[in-house]
Amino acid sequence: MEPIVNEIQRAVGKIFVKGNYFYSDYITSQLGNKKTMAILMAIIEKSGKTPTEAIMVFLAAIRYIKKDLDAFAHFEKGDLMGTFIDEHYDELIHLSATKKVQGNIPERGFPLLEVLGKNLPDEKIGVIELGASYGLIGSCLLEPDHILGHPAVYRLNGRQMPVNPKKIDAYLGIDIDPPDKEWLLSCFSVPEDARMLQKYLDTLEFKDNHRVIKASALDFSKLKEVKGFTQKDIKPVVLTSFMLYQFGVQQKKQLIDEIMDFVAQHNGHWISQEVAFKDNGDGLEYYIAWDGKKIIEMPNDKCDQWSWC
Ligand SMILES: C[S@@+](CC[C@H](N)C(=O)[O-])C[C@H]1O[C@@H](n2cnc3c(N)ncnc32)[C@H](O)[C@@H]1O
């Protein structure tokens, strides 16, 4: 088996590719040094996380403890990251081992509104999102005008907008550990994105048709909330968005089998919005699949552009 150090280095090389919107020379160099490598190895050993997940959650834990969305810019100006690791070693290990990366933006709903408009133009739709985080995709699918109607406030210029958006009627989000606002914001690699989200959260009001519950996605179909949901006069659509990559091979297969059974039984559909390593091993690919078939490709997990396959 490949030594863990090599696996971490390989993950760093694949994640932090120059030109990525979140690439940073500073973070990339810090992730290569001995002290950072040692703490990442300890996190992986304690939690069984993949190197990719361990790196991302470790960076979020630093922003969270430092209570600073710009933590890495400030380290770069002389506030040493190594000293910070020494001073907060136990807390960093604990947070990184127990928390998950939970970045969540409403804009990830834009291509989904388009997919629903194209595939289910006349149906009443209820979305069950597995791995919902704060439930912000749900907020966008239920009330797209809240964000689409304010392009200047949310700096949507340059973003691809849905031309035929179909809003949904009910949303049930399921997350193993729904984040508090501070952890959610710490999960953002780009501080400007976190600040934009803060603005959205400040004006957001969840209504009765939006609910997020704490539960595991595995066995979701047995939850009483899901059973209640399917009794409504709506077409159930299961959504997984940037969550399956957090599962090991066996668990992922188990969850996909459960989703497929559920949609077959309830005459529903499954939308997956995912990131995966490319088959040729050359970086990451982002895509949307409808009932397991790839239909849309995207350049990144911000979902700011998309094209139909
Ligand atoms: C990267 S976030 C993505 C959030 C949201 N779906 C989106 O695309 O913006 C992945 C979420 O999956 C959740 N998650 C991971 N494993 C889970 C499980 N077994 N059951 C439920 N949620 C899970 C995490 O807690 C996290 O909030």
Side-chain angles (χ1 to χ4, degrees):
M1 222 169 80
E2 191 178 12
I4 196 72
V5 175
N6 295 359
E7 278 191 55
I8 296 172
Q9 281 167 344
R10 216 156 49 89
V12 172
K14 279 184 174 182
I15 299 168
F16 295 94
V17 178
K18 261 194 183 164
N20 271 357
Y21 68 89
F22 58 80
Y23 177 82
S24 141
D25 274 340
Y26 179 75
I27 294 179
T28 311
S29 71
Q30 289 296 313
L31 288 171
N33 77 27
K34 267 190 181 164
K35 190 171 284 184
T36 321
M37 196 55 85
I39 193 168
L40 286 171
M41 283 165 66
I43 293 164
I44 291 168
E45 194 174 315
K46 190 161 181 181
S47 65
K49 285 189 158 100
T50 63
T52 305
E53 173 76 347
I55 292 165
M56 300 312 276
V57 82
F58 166 70
L59 298 176
I62 291 179
R63 291 183 206 102
Y64 186 75
I65 297 171
K66 220 170 178 285
K67 294 189 174 48
D68 182 2
L69 300 174
D70 298 294
F72 293 97
H74 293 149
F75 281 140
E76 205 168 347
K77 291 183 186 123
D79 179 8
L80 284 172
M81 182 163 148
T83 313
F84 186 83
I85 293 177
D86 288 340
E87 286 170 355
H88 298 275
Y89 188 85
D90 291 343
E91 199 179 356
L92 279 168
I93 294 269
H94 173 72
L95 274 175
S96 306
T98 53
K99 305 281 295 172
K100 289 182 184 296
V101 180
Q102 303 191 285
N104 187 214
I105 49 169
E107 293 95 317
R108 284 184 179 160
F110 290 6
L112 303 175
L113 286 163
E114 192 88 307
V115 169
L116 294 173
K118 188 169 179 196
N119 290 2
L120 299 174
D122 304 318
E123 311 265 2
K124 282 184 87 175
I125 301 168
V127 165
I128 300 169
E129 183 178 6
L130 308 178
S133 181
Y134 210 77
L136 295 177
I137 294 181
S139 71
C140 173
L141 299 180
L142 284 166
E143 292 191 51
D145 289 346
H146 185 78
I147 181 163
L148 291 176
H150 302 94
V153 176
Y154 298 114
R155 293 205 324 213
L156 302 180
N157 291 343
R159 264 194 170 274
Q160 188 168 349
M161 305 292 261
V163 286
N164 185 23
K166 173 77 198 290
K167 65 180 191 173
I168 65 169
D169 300 274
Y171 172 83
L172 174 65
I174 298 172
D175 201 283
I176 196 141
D177 183 20
D180 59 38
K181 213 186 269 190
E182 285 66 36
W183 178 255
L184 172 69
L185 294 170
S186 300
C187 288
F188 284 80
S189 310
V190 181
E192 266 317 300
D193 292 345
R195 280 192 263 280
M196 199 55 62
L197 182 66
Q198 182 123 44
K199 220 187 259 188
Y200 180 80
L201 294 175
D202 287 347
T203 57
L204 191 64
E205 272 177 44
F206 292 121
K207 305 225 170 85
D208 287 350
N209 56 1
H210 180 286
R211 200 169 164 204
V212 176
I213 60 168
K214 180 177 168 85
S216 172
L218 291 160
D219 283 339
F220 76 96
S221 53
K222 300 190 182 119
L223 294 170
K224 67 175 186 318
E225 291 85 353
V226 170
K227 289 194 171 134
F229 203 76
T230 54
Q231 280 153 15
K232 294 181 184 165
D233 179 25
I234 47 173
K235 170 81 71 187
V237 174
V238 176
L239 168 65
T240 52
S241 173
F242 302 114
M243 65 91 75
L244 287 174
Y245 76 93
Q246 298 190 341
F247 283 65
V249 177
Q250 201 46 46
Q251 279 197 324
K252 184 169 163 180
K253 182 183 177 317
Q254 186 187 333
L255 183 58
I256 292 176
D257 287 348
E258 186 180 0
I259 294 170
M260 296 302 247
D261 284 351
F262 178 84
V263 298
Q265 198 180 338
H266 296 283
N267 194 22
H269 295 281
W270 170 35
I271 302 184
S272 59
Q273 185 158 248
E274 250 328 306
V275 54
F277 286 128
K278 286 183 185 160
D279 285 343
N280 62 8
D282 186 16
L284 300 168
E285 63 171 348
Y286 302 86
Y287 61 88
I288 296 176
W290 177 260
D291 291 333
K293 184 174 180 294
K294 223 179 259 186
I295 53 169
I296 277 182
E297 289 172 344
M298 301 178 294
N300 55 46
D301 64 358
K302 290 177 154 198
C303 311
D304 53 5
Q305 305 291 324
W306 61 87
S307 53
W308 296 88
C309 298

